[in-house]
Amino acid sequence: APGVCCPWSRCCGGGDFRPRTVWLGHPEKREQRYPRNVINNQKYNFFTFLPGVLFNQFKYFFNLYFLLLACSQFVNELRLGALYTYWVPLGFVLIITIVREAVEEMRCFLRDKEVNSQIYSKLSTRGTVKVKSSGIQVGDLIIVEKTFFPDFYHKGSCFLRTDQLDGETDWKLRLPVACTQRLPTAADLLQIRSFVYAEEPNIDIHNFIGTFTREDGDPPVSESLSIENTLWASTVIASGTVVGVVIYTGKELRSVMNTSNPRHKIGLIDLEVNCLTKILFGALVVVSLVMVALQHFAGRWYLQIFRFLLLFSNIVPISLRVNLDMGKMVFSWMIKKDSKIPGTVVRASTIPEQLGRISYLLTDKTGTLTQNEMVFRRLHLGTVAYGMDSMDEVQSHVFSAYTQVFPGFPASRAPGASKVRKTISSRVHEAVKAIALVHNVTPVYESNGVTDQAEAEQHYEDTCRVYQASSPDEVSLVQWTESVGLTLVGRDQSSMQLRTPSGQILNFTILQAFPFTYESKRMGIIVRDESTGEITFYLKGADVVMAGIVQYNDWLEEECGNMAREGLRVLVVAKKSLTVEQYQDFEARYVQAKLSVHDRSLKVATVIESLEMEMELLCLTGVEDQLQADVRPTLEILRNAGIKVWMLTGDKLETATCTAKNAHLVTRNQDIHVFRPVTTRSEAHLELNAFRRKHDCALVISGDSLEVCLKYYEYEFMELACQCPAIVCCRCAPTQKAQIVRLLQERTGKLTCAVGDGGNDVSMIQEADCGVGVEGKEGKQASLAADFSITQFKHLGRLLMVHGRNSYKRSAALSQFVIHRSLCISTMQTVFSSVFYFASVPLYQGFLIIGYSTIYTMFPVFSLVLDKDVKSEVAMLYPELYKDLLKGRPLSFKTFLIWVLISIYQGKRILWLFYPMVRNKLHSVTELLSLACYIASLVFLHEFIEIFLIVTSCYLMNLTHVNKWNPPSYSKLTS
């Protein structure tokens, strides 16, 4: 259940993890205290909310400066005006921040409450009772159906989907605890004296050590437990019902321990503005010292310094914080209301401008780039190939092969059939039959409301049948054979049944099965046709291993390369006919090898390899993992925008490489360097040297090899990796994904964005500067933990190119313009004080300054949040515009210095015009005249109001002078 196993649950502190003994159905017998089974994504609680929010605000110089400024007004010698002139603006900023944080905390609290309140069924002495997920304890017996669940062991084998935990799309078969299978009912589990001894909680999701002991037997029965007996949190049962005992809860879940704590993210522009305020404060101190020095440090000069600091305090504008916060709220609202990216949610309204400066995009594969839906695309027989548009020909060949001329005898082998027809039909028939047999798929029948399960299984009802397998590739192949007429209708551990187009059932006995492994890259099966007694060894696997197994041919390598370039996953299918004597000899050697105590795996592999020689090549199959909509153009836009894309996935190397090619993450003219598996420092050194000699080459590396490289050659590896146009990292654990993000941030200093849709992507999303979650079939774990949530990967292009770019440019312009406005006031104050013999005399009363900054000039300046230099269509059409922002030019020390010089000049000019009025005591008249001009401009010049506001607020001649001689590089696009 999400409330039990959500991978985005916060790990509340450390803890002394120890092994445990768990009695079935008796949580009261626990030996130690276990954490509650709740999730808590909140940053604060009731008592820490206000102190925590205030601390996060005042730990930055900008806000701390204004707090000290306001507190100084309690000292009579330093007071320059009413207290409210300093406390009201500061209070306004704090209220906005507190309200925003409170709203986000309340939303988070309600989400957590909903998840923790989900109801589950628990076996107890009173029968089946309902319990909230937050009430589940270690030792409870929980009944779980097609859903998520806490970590436990189960009664009854089942298939498991683990893509939310480890990113692997393969389904896993989980086995029952054998000594519980003889019990008549699940309720009898409460009547036996049994317990599970389990290892201490750890982050290893691929291994487990434990024992199951039943004490009421004579003698007591013990059974070892391994990963095959476990159902971890964040995994999903494919079908059926499972009864399990809860072993781990809360922060001790594997999924939670693999999730890093969410960090408080601060926008880069906020840090840059904080740096600029330090510079402005330094200028404030210098100006104050100069004013006192010009008075020759007379009298109580130290008090004069503080009075000047307060008098010129507008150099650091408090309205800057208000404008930026309100601007971010507007940017977030614009993102949510954009009709072209419907369903987009902004969960972190403090960092929308971060989207405009992304240099590295790290994305998951399954469910993010791909739909995780495999589609059979091509069957290649060497001399003839069948695509999607010619599958009807394959269907006709299969139909003709099984048209009964003689009972049990395919028509393609019947006397009188033409030689050409016989050859084509027999080859297609053999290929389709091989594909229908060499797999680990199991058909499962379920009730559909009309036909019950038992009847559906007996009559092989097509509408009630679903396929379960350890890989979606396998299912797509079996579904394809069904579409062309040869249907898998039944299977158990020793037999398999196929149905022909005419409805005849073909029975095969499974003599041996050799499952797919990462090392062997192939799988095989030996079957006996019950109608003919023929024994056949079928084998399928990757072309790199099958090329040396099949008989010599001149087309395998070329066609595999062609299909791989199209982004298809290629499997080579072969067969070998065995006599009874050959099989018996093999079986004897195989059984002997399996009984070996030493080097068992090596001996078993050697015996199997004795069969894998000179096999008959039947066909190539091409399966495509369907991409999400518009993935290719989106990746092209990101690449043209100067963003480097890294794909981090828990899937297999071959699968990840095919997807990278299919999505054009790796372009057609780029080479791919596959980093060989390394386990030692010397091997890593040699492989890094080999990779260093490659240029403009994409890198494919496994998580294990990456860990070795980062352990010994972290700096060298990251230096080479950052030069790659694209990187594919497969077999990545969740913590590894977060580690890669962290290393990129530390080594490059650039902003990163992480995109994912599963629970295994949460750590990466939370570690990145911008986390984007994709809501998909696999739930909302990633989207709820992300800063931004989208419904499709293609929306990422507009989110970055349009909203990210606009948010950053507007924030940069707004912050500099607010500083410009305040510097104008401070310049006038400095000149005014100089005229009055360097006295600390205020030019305006405090409330006039506040009124000027927050009312009179608020809206003209704040209107910059609506500024648009190019249309959104142009920004999407020319992603190179985004690349200009990566250097941070809109807000830099150069632009800041230019604005400072403009502010000083304009402040002097305004005071030069204003001073004669003050000298003649006509300043009230000038204020009224200024107000009248402003109102009149709104009434009579409404057609030119935009130009007029620019004229009145920042002297258009200065801006036009700058733009005339230094126009933007994309100025022609704005016309």
Side-chain angles (χ1 to χ4, degrees):
V4 190
C5 66
C6 273
W8 67 94
S9 309
R10 291 184 66 215
C11 187
C12 310
D16 182 19
F17 297 133
R18 293 177 293 168
R20 62 199 56 195
T21 299
V22 180
W23 291 85
L24 269 66
H26 298 283
E28 69 279 358
K29 291 185 177 181
R30 59 175 178 245
E31 301 173 339
Q32 53 184 291
R33 186 181 180 87
Y34 303 118
R36 290 188 62 212
N37 194 51
V38 296
I39 67 166
N40 180 15
N41 289 310
Q42 296 172 253
K43 292 183 287 187
Y44 314 101
N45 58 35
F46 179 80
F47 299 102
T48 62
F49 174 74
L50 192 59
V53 172
L54 293 178
F55 173 77
N56 283 328
Q57 288 299 304
F58 293 124
K59 70 180 180 181
Y60 294 101
F61 174 80
F62 187 89
N63 294 326
L64 182 62
Y65 167 77
F66 288 108
L67 176 64
L68 297 176
L69 194 68
C71 291
S72 69
Q73 294 306 290
F74 290 109
V75 181
N76 291 328
E77 290 84 353
L78 302 179
R79 182 176 296 179
L80 292 178
L83 286 175
Y84 67 82
T85 61
Y86 292 92
W87 281 100
V88 168
L90 181 62
F92 180 65
V93 173
L94 292 178
I95 288 173
I96 289 179
T97 303
I98 291 173
V99 169
R100 185 183 63 213
E101 290 286 339
V103 170
E104 292 183 357
E105 283 292 287
M106 181 56 65
R107 289 175 180 171
C108 192
F109 169 76
L110 293 176
R111 289 199 302 266
D112 291 348
K113 183 179 179 181
E114 178 184 359
V115 167
N116 291 327
S117 300
Q118 291 189 356
I119 303 299
Y120 298 93
S121 299
K122 181 178 78 171
L123 279 180
S124 70
T125 53
R126 303 190 308 272
T128 302
V129 297
K130 301 297 183 182
V131 60
K132 291 183 178 180
S133 77
S134 58
I136 293 177
Q137 304 178 58
V138 171
D140 284 343
L141 290 171
I142 305 297
I143 303 173
V144 184
E145 297 179 349
K146 288 186 180 180
T147 181
F148 299 86
F149 38 80
D151 295 351
F152 57 76
Y153 307 99
H154 64 290
K155 178 182 184 295
S157 60
C158 67
F159 276 103
L160 204 63
R161 290 172 52 196
T162 64
D163 46 354
Q164 287 294 294
L165 181 65
D166 56 19
E168 295 186 18
T169 56
D170 295 356
W171 290 11
K172 277 82 173 177
L173 179 65
R174 289 298 186 254
L175 303 176
V177 180
C179 60
T180 65
Q181 299 306 291
R182 293 184 290 272
L183 298 175
T185 64
D188 292 324
L189 288 169
L190 296 168
Q191 308 304 320
I192 63 174
R193 283 180 50 81
S194 57
F195 63 87
V196 172
Y197 177 80
E199 64 179 350
E200 69 279 0
N202 59 72
I203 65 173
D204 189 354
I205 60 178
H206 299 295
N207 293 289
F208 175 78
I209 298 174
T211 58
F212 181 92
T213 303
R214 181 175 177 179
E215 289 190 333
D216 56 352
D218 188 17
V221 178
S222 291
E223 184 177 340
S224 64
L225 300 174
S226 66
I227 188 66
E228 292 183 341
N229 304 109
T230 62
L231 304 179
W232 293 142
S234 295
T235 57
V236 182
I237 296 179
S239 66
T241 301
V242 168
V243 179
V245 57
V246 179
I247 300 298
Y248 304 122
T249 56
K251 67 179 182 179
E252 295 180 343
L253 295 172
R254 294 291 208 267
S255 54
V256 175
M257 297 180 73
N258 272 283
T259 304
S260 57
N261 292 328
R263 64 186 181 93
H264 186 67
K265 297 182 181 180
I266 300 296
L268 182 58
I269 198 168
D270 291 319
L271 298 178
E272 292 172 340
V273 168
N274 193 57
C275 180
L276 294 180
T277 56
K278 293 178 182 179
I279 296 175
L280 291 172
F281 179 74
L284 170 63
V285 172
V286 171
V287 171
S288 301
L289 290 173
V290 169
M291 298 298 286
V292 174
L294 293 174
Q295 295 178 346
H296 306 292
F297 296 98
R300 301 170 69 182
W301 57 270
Y302 48 89
L303 283 180
Q304 287 296 321
I305 290 177
F306 283 105
R307 285 181 64 85
F308 276 118
L309 286 173
L310 296 171
L311 191 63
F312 301 145
S313 61
N314 282 293
I315 289 179
V316 184
I318 192 171
S319 58
L320 176 58
R321 182 77 269 158
V322 179
N323 280 274
L324 280 179
D325 284 351
M326 293 181 65
K328 291 178 179 182
M329 294 172 66
V330 172
F331 302 149
S332 301
W333 180 83
M334 289 179 174
I335 293 174
K336 289 189 287 187
K337 294 300 180 181
D338 190 344
S339 60
K340 294 186 178 179
I341 48 174
T344 302
V345 179
V346 179
R347 305 192 190 278
S349 58
T350 57
I351 56 172
E353 75 286 346
Q354 294 278 80
L355 296 170
R357 306 177 70 178
I358 301 300
S359 296
Y360 288 92
L361 180 77
L362 301 102
T363 177
D364 179 42
K365 179 189 74 69
T366 306
T368 304
L369 295 178
T370 68
Q371 301 179 31
N372 197 25
E373 292 182 359
M374 308 300 172
V375 179
F376 189 94
R377 292 295 185 190
R378 185 166 303 168
L379 177 70
H380 206 299
L381 303 179
T383 57
V384 61
Y386 297 96
M388 293 298 295
D389 56 347
S390 56
M391 288 304 170
D392 55 338
E393 296 182 34
V394 178
Q395 190 173 11
S396 65
H397 284 310
V398 174
F399 182 80
S400 64
Y402 284 104
T403 301
Q404 295 300 314
V405 179
F406 301 104
F409 203 69
S412 58
R413 295 164 57 186
S418 70
K419 187 174 182 180
V420 175
R421 182 68 179 173
K422 174 183 173 181
T423 303
I424 296 176
S425 293
S426 62
R427 291 180 62 193
V428 172
H429 161 242
E430 284 296 334
V432 174
K433 187 170 77 168
I435 296 170
L437 288 172
V438 57
H439 53 71
N440 59 5
V441 180
T442 303
V444 177
Y445 294 87
E446 299 178 345
S447 173
N448 61 0
V450 179
T451 308
D452 61 25
Q453 182 177 352
E455 185 180 352
E457 190 168 354
Q458 181 180 358
H459 298 288
Y460 302 133
E461 289 287 342
D462 291 340
T463 57
C464 303
R465 183 175 55 250
V466 293
Y467 293 116
Q468 293 184 353
S470 62
S471 170
D473 299 50
E474 300 272 73
V475 174
S476 67
L477 293 173
V478 173
Q479 288 175 338
W480 174 78
T481 63
E482 179 181 1
S483 69
V484 297
L486 199 58
T487 307
L488 175 67
V489 294
R491 179 173 182 160
D492 54 33
Q493 291 186 347
S494 60
S495 65
M496 195 183 312
Q497 292 78 39
L498 301 180
R499 186 172 61 196
T500 67
S502 60
Q504 179 190 4
I505 302 299
L506 305 179
N507 292 290
F508 296 87
T509 300
I510 301 175
L511 301 177
Q512 300 291 345
F514 315 115
F516 178 91
T517 64
Y518 182 65
E519 293 76 20
S520 67
K521 295 184 174 59
R522 58 190 182 272
M523 72 157 297
I525 189 170
I526 301 177
V527 296
R528 181 175 61 230
D529 189 339
E530 292 302 311
S531 63
T532 63
E534 294 179 352
I535 299 177
T536 309
F537 173 40
Y538 291 104
L539 188 70
K540 72 176 180 184
D543 58 301
V544 291
V545 295
M546 294 294 290
I549 294 175
V550 299
Q551 297 170 350
Y552 173 78
N553 61 86
D554 57 358
W555 60 273
L556 175 61
E557 183 178 356
E558 180 183 356
E559 295 303 333
C560 286
N562 293 336
M563 293 170 69
R565 280 187 287 273
E566 296 178 27
L568 301 179
R569 300 188 193 179
V570 183
L571 287 176
V572 181
V573 183
K575 79 165 188 175
K576 186 175 188 178
S577 297
L578 302 176
T579 64
V580 176
E581 292 76 16
Q582 286 177 323
Y583 172 71
Q584 290 176 346
D585 175 64
F586 166 81
E587 184 182 29
R589 292 185 289 116
Y590 185 65
V591 171
Q592 187 67 31
K594 290 173 67 176
L595 293 176
S596 299
V597 177
H598 303 290
D599 299 326
R600 178 186 299 176
S601 299
L602 178 60
K603 293 179 179 178
V604 168
T606 303
V607 173
I608 297 175
E609 287 174 3
S610 67
L611 279 184
E612 299 173 338
M613 294 185 298
E614 293 297 313
M615 298 189 68
E616 179 187 351
L617 176 58
L618 295 178
C619 65
L620 306 181
T621 63
V623 176
E624 179 186 13
D625 189 354
Q626 286 193 305
L627 298 175
Q628 296 279 1
D630 295 332
V631 162
R632 290 168 182 161
T634 301
L635 290 176
E636 183 70 18
I637 287 174
L638 298 176
R639 190 160 41 240
N640 292 338
I643 300 175
K644 291 187 176 181
V645 183
W646 291 20
M647 186 171 77
L648 312 180
T649 177
D651 225 328
K652 298 186 289 290
L653 186 144
E654 292 81 4
T655 305
T657 306
C658 283
T659 302
K661 293 177 180 177
N662 193 21
H664 295 175
L665 177 64
V666 179
T667 59
R668 292 181 180 275
N669 57 351
Q670 282 178 347
D671 293 330
I672 296 179
H673 178 79
V674 179
F675 206 91
R676 290 188 301 177
V678 296
T679 55
T680 63
R681 180 170 187 163
S682 58
E683 291 177 349
H685 179 73
L686 292 174
E687 194 61 25
L688 281 173
N689 284 339
F691 178 51
R692 186 177 281 109
R693 291 190 287 268
K694 303 290 184 68
H695 299 285
D696 191 32
C697 180
L699 175 65
V700 179
I701 186 172
S702 67
D704 294 336
S705 299
L706 175 67
E707 187 175 355
V708 175
C709 291
L710 294 180
K711 181 179 180 180
Y712 298 111
Y713 298 103
E714 179 181 302
Y715 177 80
E716 292 82 356
F717 176 81
M718 292 303 299
E719 183 183 18
L720 291 172
C722 291
Q723 297 173 3
C724 291
I727 285 187
V728 177
C729 188
C730 57
R731 292 286 182 179
C732 259
T735 49
Q736 268 188 322
K737 294 184 177 182
Q739 182 187 13
I740 294 171
V741 174
R742 190 160 51 249
L743 284 173
L744 267 177
Q745 293 168 339
E746 294 172 355
R747 294 296 180 186
T748 65
K750 303 292 182 64
L751 293 188
T752 58
C753 177
V755 188
D757 74 316
N760 60 315
D761 303 317
V762 170
S763 295
M764 172 178 71
I765 286 173
Q766 292 178 338
E767 189 64 38
D769 297 292
C770 283
V772 180
V774 181
E775 291 188 13
K777 302 175 183 177
E778 314 304 338
K780 295 185 177 182
Q781 292 96 319
S783 65
L784 291 175
D787 305 309
F788 304 90
S789 175
I790 58 179
T791 56
Q792 297 183 61
F793 182 83
K794 68 177 182 180
H795 293 166
L796 190 64
R798 185 174 179 85
L799 186 66
L800 298 182
M801 300 300 112
V802 177
H803 293 288
R805 182 177 182 275
N806 287 341
S807 298
Y808 174 50
K809 287 183 69 69
R810 292 166 178 173
S811 296
L814 180 63
S815 59
Q816 292 181 122
F817 213 93
V818 171
I819 292 174
H820 158 71
R821 181 183 62 187
S822 298
L823 282 175
C824 286
I825 300 174
S826 299
T827 300
M828 290 187 288
Q829 177 65 68
T830 303
V831 175
F832 187 81
S833 297
S834 301
V835 171
F836 287 96
Y837 306 101
F838 313 107
S840 55
V841 179
L843 175 61
Y844 297 106
Q845 293 297 324
F847 68 88
L848 286 178
I849 296 177
I850 295 174
Y852 174 81
S853 298
T854 59
I855 299 175
Y856 187 77
T857 62
M858 165 67 181
F859 292 107
V861 174
F862 191 70
S863 65
L864 286 172
V865 301
L866 304 175
D867 182 44
K868 184 184 293 186
D869 57 344
V870 296
K871 295 181 179 180
S872 58
E873 293 79 8
V874 175
M876 291 294 294
L877 187 60
Y878 298 98
E880 292 78 9
L881 297 175
Y882 187 92
K883 189 184 296 185
D884 293 340
L885 306 183
L886 300 182
K887 298 179 181 178
R889 289 175 177 171
L891 181 61
S892 61
F893 289 113
K894 178 181 178 181
T895 58
F896 172 70
L897 181 59
I898 292 174
W899 277 107
V900 169
L901 297 176
I902 292 175
S903 302
I904 294 173
Y905 170 75
Q906 291 183 0
K908 289 181 180 178
R909 296 289 292 176
I910 293 172
L911 189 64
W912 179 78
L913 296 171
F914 176 68
Y915 180 70
M917 299 293 181
V918 175
R919 187 175 56 188
N920 296 318
K921 299 181 179 181
L922 297 175
H923 55 276
S924 298
V925 176
T926 59
E927 290 173 4
L928 292 174
L929 181 61
S930 177
L931 179 61
C933 291
Y934 185 80
I935 296 174
S937 66
L938 296 176
V939 175
F940 298 108
L941 299 176
H942 58 86
E943 295 181 359
F944 309 97
I945 192 65
E946 184 177 356
I947 298 177
F948 183 78
L949 289 177
I950 296 176
V951 172
T952 56
S953 62
C954 61
Y955 285 77
L956 181 61
M957 65 176 184
N958 291 300
L959 292 181
T960 53
H961 177 75
V962 173
N963 288 334
K964 179 179 179 181
W965 296 107
N966 188 25
S969 59
Y970 53 89
S971 57
K972 291 183 179 180
L973 299 178
T974 62
S975 59

